[in-house]
Amino acid sequence: MRDFAELLDRLVFTPRRSIKLRLIGDYFARVPDPDRGWALAALTGGLTFPGAKPAMIRALIEERCDPVLFRWSYDYVGDLAETAALLWPERRGANREPGLAEVVETLQEAGRTEVPTLLAGWLDALDPTGRWALLKLITGGLRVGVSERLAKTALASFGGQDAGAIEELWHGLRPPYDDLFAWLEGRAPQPEVAEAALFRPLMLAHPLEEAEVDALPLGEFLAEWKWDGIRAQLVAHKGECRLFSRTGEDIGPAFPDLLQNIGFDAVLDGELLVAREGAPAPFNELQTRLGRKAPTAKLQRSHPAHLRLYDLLIDAGEDLRHLTFSERRARLEAWYARHRPALMDLSELVVVENHAELKRLRREARTSGVEGLMLKRAASPYLAGRPKGHWYKFKRDALTVDAVLMYAQRGHGRRSSLFSDYTFGAWTEEGTLVPIGKAYSGFTDSELKRLDKWVRDHTVDRFGPVRAVEPGLVLEVAFDAVQPSSRHKSGIALRFPRIARIRWDKPAGEADPLERLRAMIA
Amino acid sequence: MSREAHPENWLQVTPRGLYCRPGDFFIDPHRPVERAVVTHGHADHARPGNAAVIATPQTLAIMQARYGERAGAVLHPLAYHQRLSLGPVTVRLVPAGHVLGSAQVVIEWGGWRVVVSGDYKRQPDPTCAAFEVVPCDVFVTEATFALPVFRHPPADEEVRRLLHSVDLFPERTHLVGAYSLGKAQRLLALLRHAGWDRPVYLHGALEPLCQLYEEQGVDLGPLRSATRAEADLAGDIVVAPPSALADRWLRRFADPLTAMASGWMRVRQRARQRGAELPLVISDHADWDELTQTLREVGAPEVWVTHGSEEALIHWARGEGMRARALSLIGRGEEEQDALP
Ligand SMILES: [Zn+2]
Ligand SMILES: [Zn+2]
């Protein structure tokens, strides 16, 4: 645990990518299996411990600490895991300090009720940095400024391999990755994973701003609609069928209707939708399906799954990813004509003559029920990740609402000392505020400081890290759509809300009524 | 031991500082006075311009190095444990373990014993005499790190992390921010103890006090001037005052990696605000555990708390059945100003 804790501690304070790569590489070189493999899993976001929740950590520390001192300390530190790690009463030498593998493997076996006792025993044995790392590890989201991609790049340079080669294998391997490290250290051949129904990393698009459009040589691109569902990959191999989300999560069990009676061997890229007779339903209907791990037959009938195809990556064992997009498109169309699979159709190409027409199509996207347009360079191969200059997404404009700030909460990481997560509300007919959403601000530091001061000066109540404020500040909130929601008191939920700007000038009484948002439900 | 002679009637906060009436002297006054007892050389405790100064010989040497003629008109050295009568009051100085020459002031009058501890710590420090517990009736304590989240790890463990980093990034200069009095010299001594025997390079502002420590018999190993160094000092360690870490001065070094040695580094968010790439939790002040341990050991039924998070320590002391109150002294804690959040 000590090496892992020291690694996380260094990463938190290291701004530079090249230095982070060195620190991770040094760790892989120094630390034996299986600890380093579990560390890799943690850094790539591959570990979850459903039995460990922040509330449990809070309960553990509150049993051991004066409540007044806990509150003052939490106020000062601003992060629960760190506060608990620092406050934990020292009992070093009480137990043996646990290793990373021991912690992970024990927790994976443990029942929910055993977790608090296990955790307390380990916390007793660790030093403050070790305790902090342990709590970060089990509550998920290490927040040490390392992306999955960066961790894999560090791994690749540690083993003298190409990052693409690791990416290709990745979804066929399981932590703690002993076979992967053995190969990277030249002690064993490359792990054999090619024969399974594996996720292949997706190719992603860069956002395109209105102002950048005119510079784009449209003749070199093919356009498609950007459908309002989620990107998905369907893999069918030797009778095994799987459906993956954009990040490689297996979402197949939620969509048995789509995966039944598959009679082909292929890897397909498409948009997962709920659709009736080929007509896509609003996004929230898909959300209903995504929320059910095992959907009833009734739900499958009322909300039928649909895959709208964008691309063909592998056809009967033949890898097409090195072909150009035009060539793959031709193969996809031929493939579709041959198989005509149920609950699937082709995403049509959109003919765009010039830039003006492109902008018009985008403006009309909201009424056409699409999220915008995709522009794909005809000559591009299928490349994993978000390579520059190949694919662009040209999304419809956001909607906005003027909402009133209701609660503020401290942010995470760099901003943990500032109030940077905001809950905002709209006026009901009775003249009260109901919360309609929560967003993290994208402000500059100086704006954030001013807002933070406003929050401190207008606090009317506190609940742990949350402050309730007077209804006196209007936030312009941008969002993509309004959906009905039974979980929220307001009856609505905003999709992709973000705070566009602070309306210091606008009186709270003039913010928007809830009615206006209800009328915007898609 | 009469109630009228209770120290709150004769040891009081005045505009010029903490004043002992029957002995007619101030302790660490923040404005010039006739007679001052000074606990240690940090600028928020030892100020220039007093008529008479009573302090340990080391503290007087530090004041002379810093203030020259203005250190005081009459300097009265008082060695540790020696008794001095000031009127009816007896005063002696006892090691505080904070920096070279630092002392607690033990004041006895009317059957009462008050200990004004100045700044102190309990962790071992090879550059100064260790804190001694003096049982007393009233204990005046600092509270710089008086929140239970402040837990200073063993300093040699922090130095090991520094040396691991030097190993890992031999092409970079490791630049450590440390206060010029006490912290810098302790860091040097710790490096020597950890086996680092190469020259350590110093920012000019640190040179006079390091030299003074050496003259006082504290061995700091081979030291060089960083400013006059010919090379870019890749793979070397440079020690500088914290204010120099954000300065153009550091551009001369090889891809400098900044480390910061301070108790404030314990809380990551604070450390990040300082911009240090390698925070080292090394403090010359008592952490929470040392503060509470000390309050228990001196056994004083009454505790007065100064500079820092007074409220948390007072809350704790009252919970332990002690009488506790805040003693608001002006202008304290500024030696650590550089590291304040
Ligand atoms: Zn001091
Ligand atoms: Zn002080």
Side-chain angles (χ1 to χ4, degrees):
Chain A
M1 199 73 206
R2 188 171 289 249
D3 291 305
F4 180 63
E6 189 172 336
L7 172 66
L8 294 190
D9 197 39
R10 286 296 308 255
L11 289 171
V12 167
F13 294 105
T14 300
R16 238 156 63 201
R17 186 185 143 83
S18 59
I19 303 296
K20 289 183 202 231
L21 289 172
R22 293 260 297 277
L23 290 167
I24 300 171
D26 169 64
Y27 175 86
F28 289 149
R30 250 176 340 108
V31 174
D33 295 323
D35 274 21
R36 59 181 173 177
W38 290 118
L40 176 61
L43 290 171
T44 52
L47 290 179
T48 50
F49 303 99
K53 291 269 186 301
M56 189 189 84
I57 294 169
R58 195 170 174 140
L60 280 175
I61 188 66
E62 281 179 335
E63 276 169 30
R64 288 163 174 79
C65 181
D66 177 292
V68 174
L69 293 176
F70 171 76
R71 201 177 66 235
W72 285 340
S73 296
Y74 189 17
D75 249 15
Y76 182 82
V77 175
D79 173 282
L80 179 65
E82 187 172 2
T83 309
L86 293 173
L87 277 179
W88 193 266
E90 301 270 313
R91 287 191 60 205
R92 296 180 65 187
N95 300 310
R96 185 181 45 82
E97 191 172 307
L100 177 59
E102 180 187 346
V103 167
V104 174
E105 288 161 14
T106 309
L107 278 179
Q108 285 179 337
E109 303 281 295
R112 204 166 280 252
T113 52
E114 300 169 77
V115 176
T117 315
L118 284 169
L119 199 54
W122 291 326
L123 290 169
D124 280 346
L126 290 163
D127 71 354
T129 304
R131 294 193 293 259
W132 167 77
L134 173 63
L135 295 177
K136 285 279 166 196
L137 172 75
I138 63 164
T139 51
L142 296 174
R143 293 198 184 86
V144 291
V146 175
S147 64
E148 184 177 345
R149 189 160 185 85
L150 185 86
K152 288 179 194 161
T153 306
L155 188 67
S157 61
F158 157 75
Q161 290 289 339
D162 183 58
I166 288 176
E167 197 63 65
E168 191 65 37
L169 290 169
W170 186 254
H171 292 275
L173 302 173
R174 290 286 159 265
Y177 305 112
D178 295 23
D179 48 354
L180 179 61
F181 280 102
W183 168 56
L184 291 173
E185 288 178 333
R187 293 183 282 112
Q190 178 169 331
E192 197 55 62
V193 295
E195 280 304 298
L198 280 191
F199 172 72
R200 306 308 199 286
L202 291 188
M203 178 162 179
L204 303 171
H206 282 271
L208 192 65
E209 299 301 326
E210 178 104 34
E212 300 164 334
V213 170
D214 290 330
L216 213 63
L218 275 188
E220 296 171 20
F221 285 82
L222 294 171
E224 288 175 343
W225 296 118
K226 180 168 171 33
W227 300 99
D228 197 3
I230 66 165
R231 257 308 263 299
Q233 183 177 89
L234 190 147
V235 182
H237 183 72
K238 292 188 176 161
E240 195 184 344
C241 285
R242 288 176 162 210
L243 188 66
F244 295 103
S245 74
R246 216 183 69 154
T247 53
E249 192 194 339
D250 187 351
I251 53 172
F255 298 92
D257 40 350
L258 191 62
L259 295 182
Q260 68 193 356
N261 306 324
I262 296 271
F264 53 79
D265 207 298
V267 176
L268 294 155
D269 183 341
E271 192 86 3
L272 181 63
L273 302 161
V274 163
R276 298 182 187 89
E277 270 128 45
F283 183 79
N284 64 295
E285 295 201 30
L286 175 62
Q287 207 143 38
T288 308
R289 283 293 306 260
L290 286 166
R292 304 284 161 79
K293 291 267 150 62
T296 60
K298 187 169 161 239
L299 184 68
Q300 293 180 47
R301 273 195 310 278
S302 66
H303 293 65
H306 189 91
L307 189 65
R308 185 150 283 178
L309 303 172
Y310 292 132
D311 216 325
L312 178 61
L313 277 56
I314 295 176
D315 181 10
E318 182 190 357
D319 196 333
L320 309 182
R321 286 175 290 177
H322 63 282
L323 300 180
T324 65
F325 179 59
S326 325
E327 289 163 341
R328 292 199 312 280
R329 178 75 201 183
R331 292 284 301 258
L332 174 68
E333 288 175 9
W335 180 91
Y336 184 76
R338 225 167 37 244
H339 292 278
R340 297 255 162 215
L343 304 179
M344 293 183 210
D345 62 6
L346 286 180
S347 175
E348 58 186 304
L349 291 180
V350 183
V351 181
V352 181
E353 295 292 347
N354 51 47
H355 293 99
E357 187 177 2
L358 179 65
K359 289 180 196 170
R360 181 180 59 75
L361 288 169
R362 179 215 184 208
R363 268 195 307 278
E364 292 168 3
R366 195 169 284 285
T367 41
S368 329
V370 294
E371 235 195 310
L373 288 108
M374 293 292 301
L375 293 164
K376 298 181 177 174
R377 196 178 281 279
S380 298
Y382 194 96
L383 302 164
R386 207 186 295 275
K388 284 206 176 74
H390 297 280
W391 287 10
Y392 296 98
K393 53 184 172 191
F394 194 31
K395 283 174 78 165
R396 65 192 180 194
D397 269 331
L399 300 167
T400 64
V401 62
D402 284 339
V404 182
L405 179 62
M406 296 178 71
Y407 305 99
Q409 187 172 352
R410 284 197 192 80
H412 291 289
R414 193 168 67 86
R415 289 175 159 179
S416 78
S417 66
L418 297 171
F419 289 97
S420 62
D421 289 2
Y422 306 103
T423 300
F424 39 83
W427 295 109
T428 63
E429 280 173 18
E430 296 79 47
T432 56
L433 278 174
V434 287
I436 54 168
K438 193 173 167 179
Y440 173 75
S441 77
F443 304 128
T444 62
D445 281 5
S446 67
E447 262 181 317
L448 195 59
K449 278 193 185 119
R450 187 172 168 199
L451 192 52
D452 182 75
K453 184 177 179 336
W454 192 92
V455 168
R456 287 172 201 280
D457 292 348
H458 296 83
T459 297
V460 292
D461 209 349
R462 297 171 177 222
F463 322 91
V466 178
R467 303 263 183 120
V469 296
E470 283 168 27
L473 189 65
V474 177
L475 303 173
E476 184 182 310
V477 179
F479 56 94
D480 189 62
V482 187
Q483 296 162 1
S485 163
S486 52
R487 277 185 306 154
H488 298 93
K489 208 167 112 192
S490 61
I492 59 153
L494 302 183
R495 190 162 179 227
F496 304 140
R498 62 200 173 276
I499 296 169
R501 58 193 173 125
I502 311 167
R503 298 291 307 268
W504 297 106
D505 55 313
K506 190 161 186 167
E510 290 174 24
D512 283 317
L514 184 58
E515 264 325 289
R516 186 177 155 240
L517 287 160
R518 288 219 174 103
M520 287 159 90
I521 289 176
Chain B
M1 203 164 107
S2 72
R3 190 64 217 170
E4 300 83 76
H6 187 281
E8 68 192 8
N9 296 318
W10 52 266
L11 186 63
Q12 286 159 334
V13 178
T14 72
R16 287 188 290 175
L18 188 62
Y19 179 60
C20 175
R21 191 171 36 78
D24 190 22
F25 64 90
F26 289 81
I27 299 163
D28 295 348
H30 67 270
R31 276 194 236 149
V33 298
E34 280 303 303
R35 187 153 69 179
V37 176
V38 173
T39 59
H40 67 285
H42 276 142
D44 59 330
H45 295 257
R47 294 183 196 256
N50 294 303
V53 178
I54 299 159
T56 61
Q58 298 91 332
T59 297
L60 291 178
I62 291 164
M63 289 178 73
Q64 280 175 300
R66 288 196 147 168
Y67 303 132
E69 294 286 287
R70 292 162 57 240
V74 180
L75 302 181
H76 184 123
L78 183 63
Y80 287 133
H81 305 115
Q82 239 173 52
R83 282 166 196 277
L84 176 70
S85 295
L86 295 170
V89 177
T90 309
V91 168
R92 70 192 147 104
L93 301 177
V94 172
H98 176 54
V99 298
L100 180 69
S102 66
Q104 312 173 65
V105 187
V106 182
I107 308 164
E108 288 166 312
W109 186 64
W112 292 80
R113 182 191 288 160
V114 181
V115 173
V116 180
S117 59
D119 292 339
Y120 65 97
K121 72 169 174 290
R122 308 296 299 272
Q123 263 203 19
D125 179 345
T127 67
C128 66
F131 180 94
E132 290 177 21
V133 172
V134 180
C136 55
D137 304 302
V138 175
F139 186 68
V140 183
T141 182
E142 62 144 319
T144 308
F145 292 114
L147 265 183
V149 293
F150 290 109
R151 296 279 201 36
H152 306 326
D156 43 10
E157 182 65 14
E158 297 299 281
V159 167
R160 184 197 61 76
R161 293 202 300 122
L162 171 64
L163 293 179
H164 178 212
S165 184
V166 175
D167 254 4
L168 194 53
F169 301 107
E171 79 288 6
R172 304 181 71 183
T173 305
H174 280 63
L175 199 76
V176 190
Y179 312 114
S180 58
L181 170 56
K183 188 70 61 67
Q185 296 78 20
R186 182 176 175 210
L187 181 74
L188 292 167
L190 286 165
L191 280 168
R192 300 314 179 199
H193 194 252
W196 184 262
D197 45 17
R198 292 166 51 182
V200 176
Y201 293 81
L202 298 180
H203 183 277
L206 302 183
E207 287 175 21
L209 283 166
C210 287
Q211 200 188 331
L212 184 147
Y213 264 61
E214 299 241 77
E215 286 161 11
Q216 295 284 335
V218 182
D219 182 15
L220 302 177
L223 303 175
R224 304 270 186 281
S225 158
T227 312
R228 289 191 297 275
E230 302 277 320
D232 64 2
L233 303 183
D236 278 307
I237 297 174
V238 174
V239 184
S243 54
L245 294 193
D247 205 85
R248 297 173 62 86
W249 180 78
L250 57 80
R251 292 196 201 157
R252 70 189 67 207
F253 303 115
D255 188 10
L257 187 158
T258 56
M260 175 72 204
S262 159
W264 299 107
M265 298 296 111
R266 181 77 278 181
V267 175
R268 287 180 177 75
Q269 185 53 25
R270 312 289 139 174
R272 203 172 296 135
Q273 281 162 353
R274 287 288 315 181
E277 203 172 323
L278 181 64
L280 301 172
V281 189
I282 302 179
S283 172
D284 285 335
H285 291 271
D287 68 3
W288 176 258
D289 292 334
E290 294 169 56
L291 289 168
T292 54
Q293 173 202 351
T294 305
L295 261 51
R296 283 196 177 112
E297 287 179 2
V298 298
E302 185 161 349
V303 177
W304 298 351
V305 185
T306 83
H307 66 306
S309 322
E310 293 96 340
E311 51 178 9
L313 194 58
I314 290 170
H315 172 84
W316 178 87
R318 287 183 180 156
E320 296 285 304
M322 302 171 194
R323 282 183 67 192
R325 68 175 172 98
L327 193 67
S328 319
L329 293 172
I330 304 156
R332 278 292 188 280
E334 283 170 15
E335 98 228 8
E336 300 272 31
Q337 188 178 41
D338 267 322
L340 283 175

